[in-house]
């Protein structure tokens, strides 16, 4: 049953810039509808960091239950928090705010969203060799997922090696028993992969291949794809990226980022409402999201 908006409707929202193409309002409002909760979720385009501060405190003044926070404010919003959960601290970014009695508490659901998406797709990270492509904001949560998921090792492959090294440095103290190596696109990464066989899981976190750059490939060497059993792309538009096509053509499985998006949103919803959303409900919402993007 879905509720008409009335005087008791609870408000949640997304803070970011830009937000016009976000799928989160669809996802969150659908979840509330399926769970018969009288709440609505709106996207707020926040011009700058000053407006972010106003939105965060103004939101509280108006009784907003929680926010998602997206680019470019995932780090900046942390200064307004009373508490930050340990995973968000490790990642250094927050995408979910919930008001708890005396202040905003911050969470990062990108990591758990990716782990649940992998599990949903039947991809086991534990004990596997993982190659992470990219070292930007999205790579942060993906590296954390690989380490939390118990990967045997992680190779970070990035155009700018120094950024990969910074990322490795950030996490190696927290996960000292999992080797993290860094290489650039000009390095001998294929022979490195080859040393450990053909069962690598690739997590593709760059924006290369995203619409309209539909032919863009983050790694151009064909031999790279021979070593993958799974190619997981965080991009979901197009539905099948050039990277996914390559992974499949070389005998691997490939998945896009829609389920990661779905499950990070579901985790935020679970935090706000203290509920658990089943895979059955998730699957139902996913069908709608596929049509919405
Ligand atoms: P963020 O995710 O922090 O916003 P970004 O600028 O979107 O950062 O870049 C994300 C990742 O995509 C980075 O790893 C970036 O590589 P560099 O560290 O070398 O900048 C990678 N990336 C973006 N465009 C790329 C391209 N055309 N070729 C290869 N890698 C690219």
């Amino acid at each position: 049953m879905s509720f008409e908006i009335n005087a008791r409707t609870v408000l949640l929202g997304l803070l970011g810039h830009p937000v016009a193409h976000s799928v989160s309002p669809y996802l969150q409002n659908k979840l509330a509808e399926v769970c018969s909760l009288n709440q609505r979720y709106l996207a707020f385009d926040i011009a700058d960091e000053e407006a972010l501060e106003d939105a965060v405190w103004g939101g509280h003044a108006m009784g907003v239950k929680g926010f998602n926070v997206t680019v470019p404010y995932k780090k900046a919003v942390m200064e307004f928090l009373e508490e930050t959960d340990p995973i968000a601290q490790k990642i250094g970014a927050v995408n979910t705010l919930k008001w708890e009695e005396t202040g905003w508490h911050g969470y990062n659901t990108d990591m758990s969203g990716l782990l649940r998406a992998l599990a949903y797709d039947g991809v086991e990270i534990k004990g596997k060799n993982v190659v992470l492509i990219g070292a930007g904001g999205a790579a942060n949560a993906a590296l954390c997922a690989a380490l939390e998921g118990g990967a045997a090792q992680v190779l970070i492959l990035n155009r700018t090696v120094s950024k990969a090294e910074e990322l490795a440095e950030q996490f190696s103290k927290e996960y000292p028993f999992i080797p993290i190596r860094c290489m650039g696109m000009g390095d001998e990464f294929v022979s490195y992969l080859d040393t450990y066989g053909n069962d690598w899981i690739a997590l593709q976190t760059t924006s290369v291949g995203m619409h309209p750059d539909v032919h863009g490939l983050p790694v151009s060497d064909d031999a790279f794809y021979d070593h993958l059993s799974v190619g997981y792309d965080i991009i979901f538009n197009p539905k099948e990226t050039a990277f996914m096509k390559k992974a499949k053509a070389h005998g691997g499985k490939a998945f896009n980022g829609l389920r990661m998006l779905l499950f990070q949103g579901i985790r935020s919803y679970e935090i706000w409402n203290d509920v658990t959303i089943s895979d059955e409900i998730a699957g139902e919402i996913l069908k709608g999201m596929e049509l919405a993007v």
Side-chain angles (χ1 to χ4, degrees), residues 71 133-140 157-164 185 204-208 213 217-219 234:
V71 177
I133 307 164
N140 237 282
L157 197 54
N158 195 45
R159 181 177 59 180
T160 314
V161 190
S162 60
K163 275 177 78 180
M185 295 301 176
Q204 197 304 105
T205 70
T206 76
S207 49
V208 181
D213 172 32
L217 264 181
V219 182
I234 62 153

Side-chain angles (χ1 to χ4, degrees), residues 114 118 130-136 138-139 142-143 155 157-158 185 201-210 213 216-219 224-225 228 230-237 241-244 247 255-257 260:
L114 176 55
L118 288 163
V130 173
V131 51
L132 179 73
I133 307 164
L143 177 57
L155 170 65
L157 197 54
N158 195 45
M185 295 301 176
I201 295 174
L203 304 177
Q204 197 304 105
T205 70
T206 76
S207 49
V208 181
M210 193 184 289
D213 172 32
L217 264 181
V219 182
F224 171 79
Y225 298 90
L228 309 184
V230 174
Y232 216 93
D233 203 327
I234 62 153
I235 295 170
F236 54 84
N237 183 13
T241 61
F243 170 79
M244 290 168 64
F255 303 92
N256 69 24
M260 178 183 175

Side-chain angles (χ1 to χ4, degrees), residues 170-205:
Q170 181 187 330
F171 282 92
S172 55
K173 287 183 218 89
E174 302 282 348
Y175 301 88
F177 302 111
I178 304 179
I180 307 174
R181 300 256 332 211
C182 300
M183 289 190 177
M185 295 301 176
D187 292 333
E188 293 293 317
F189 57 86
V190 173
S191 46
Y192 183 81
L193 297 186
D194 199 43
T195 316
Y196 295 92
N198 294 332
D199 192 18
W200 286 79
I201 295 174
L203 304 177
Q204 197 304 105
T205 70

